[in-house]
Amino acid sequence: MSLIFAHRGYSAQFPENTMIAFQQAKEANADGIELDIQMTKDGELVIIHDEKVDRTTSGSGYVKELSFKEIRTLDAAYKYKGKLHKVQIPALEEFLEWIKPTALTCNIEFKNNLFVYAGMEDKAIELVRRYGLSERVIFSSFNHYSIVNSYRLAPEIETAPLFSDGIYQPWIYAEAIKATGIHPNHRLLNSQIIKASENYGIKVRAYTVNNEKRLQYLLESGISAVITDDPVLAKNVMSRLKNT
Ligand code: G3P
Ligand code: CA
């Protein structure tokens, strides 16, 4: 059965990469949560997609040039003014503490393809191990050196390279870098590629699938998971397929 991962939480309706978006993804019965991490000036792992805080918060500047204390003063729901109260950029640790008692799986994306954050993988691994979540976490990144580094440091935690360009037989590549899955842009996929990879033992989790027809096609192809902004839509498509 395919899993539904909520992309940056339930980001179709709530401020992306915030605790409210994660809580609402759980309410929507998502199976997993996808989130992005960056590192502050003082070495704290925080959940935010961009290298800069400008697009998603009330502040400005690079995450790597702000302290954790400064980051926590920003409003990550400022676009929802009048609808939601101020929400803070979550620390990865706060999220892991929240997810621990749930049954949710978690895909942590290292956002280290533009800036190399020294020690990012070590810090994330330490936290995931401390919270006993190694079996429920998948690390992904567009930086495949980081994926290999993560595997070397923690072979018990699953890894999956992200890619936005087509490569030939990506399941062979995944095996070569010791990954257990691939996270391609969904536009690169067809049912033959999905089946070949899944039959080879490499899980396919496609991002970011928000179109109903496309969700149906991928789910019917036997994909391991889809990563979507709208877990309610994806769950509806899935139950319709089950009942037909
Ligand atoms: O992890 C899948 C997807 O989130 C990768 O792209 O830019 O949304 O982080 P992006
Ligand atoms: Ca992401």
Side-chain angles (χ1 to χ4, degrees):
M1 201 192 62
S2 312
L3 300 181
I4 307 298
F5 277 67
H7 182 240
R8 311 180 194 173
Y10 188 171
S11 60
Q13 297 286 346
F14 299 92
E16 66 177 61
N17 281 323
T18 62
M19 290 311 299
I20 187 168
F22 303 141
Q23 285 150 1
Q24 292 298 323
K26 179 174 175 280
E27 291 303 305
N29 287 320
D31 305 291
I33 302 232
E34 187 268 357
L35 58 87
D36 308 287
I37 57 169
Q38 308 265 355
M39 201 193 290
T40 64
K41 185 164 80 175
D42 45 352
E44 187 79 32
L45 296 181
V46 288
I47 305 180
I48 180 167
H49 180 273
D50 300 359
E51 286 72 22
K52 287 180 124 178
V53 298
D54 301 47
R55 181 180 60 85
T56 55
T57 80
S58 51
S60 64
Y62 286 103
V63 175
K64 70 184 177 75
E65 287 167 4
L66 295 166
S67 67
F68 181 61
K69 204 171 161 199
E70 286 165 330
I71 283 274
R72 294 290 272 183
T73 63
L74 307 179
D75 183 4
Y78 86 112
K79 283 185 186 163
Y80 292 73
K81 256 201 168 65
K83 287 191 202 146
L84 291 175
H85 292 299
K86 178 180 171 175
V87 297
Q88 291 172 307
I89 294 177
L92 179 62
E93 180 162 10
E94 178 185 359
F95 171 82
L96 294 177
E97 201 177 332
W98 169 78
I99 204 172
K100 184 162 171 65
T102 74
L104 290 161
T105 301
C106 174
N107 171 204
I108 299 173
E109 180 185 347
F110 299 136
K111 277 289 180 210
N112 54 2
N113 45 315
L114 201 58
F115 300 124
V116 178
Y117 293 109
M120 177 178 252
E121 299 92 340
D122 309 69
K123 283 173 192 271
I125 288 165
E126 193 278 317
L127 281 172
V128 169
R129 283 180 174 160
R130 199 194 313 156
Y131 283 86
L133 289 165
S134 296
E135 284 176 10
R136 281 163 52 198
V137 165
I138 305 141
F139 288 134
S140 65
S141 180
F142 285 104
N143 178 343
H144 298 182
Y145 287 92
S146 173
I147 288 296
V148 173
N149 188 34
S150 169
Y151 174 79
R152 286 186 180 142
L153 294 167
E156 79 279 15
I157 304 177
E158 285 195 49
T159 57
L162 275 156
F163 47 96
S164 51
D165 286 315
I167 57 171
Y168 182 68
Q169 296 185 334
W171 52 93
I172 305 283
Y173 174 68
E175 183 184 42
I177 63 166
K178 306 282 189 187
T180 52
I182 50 172
H183 291 190
N185 184 303
H186 76 90
R187 293 183 185 87
L188 304 172
L189 294 173
N190 58 38
S191 64
Q192 289 81 6
I193 296 174
I194 294 168
K195 287 187 171 79
S197 187
E198 296 282 350
N199 289 339
Y200 197 77
I202 298 293
K203 296 185 185 90
V204 183
R205 303 184 194 91
Y207 75 91
T208 305
V209 200
N210 295 326
N211 173 280
E212 204 168 329
K213 283 215 168 74
R214 193 63 182 153
L215 278 164
Q216 178 168 341
Y217 175 82
L218 295 170
L219 294 171
E220 282 181 331
S221 302
I223 198 163
S224 278
V226 290
I227 303 172
T228 177
D229 294 336
D230 194 341
V232 171
L233 174 72
K235 279 277 164 183
N236 285 342
V237 173
M238 190 119 124
S239 33
R240 219 176 42 228
L241 288 177
K242 260 192 230 155
N243 297 328
T244 51

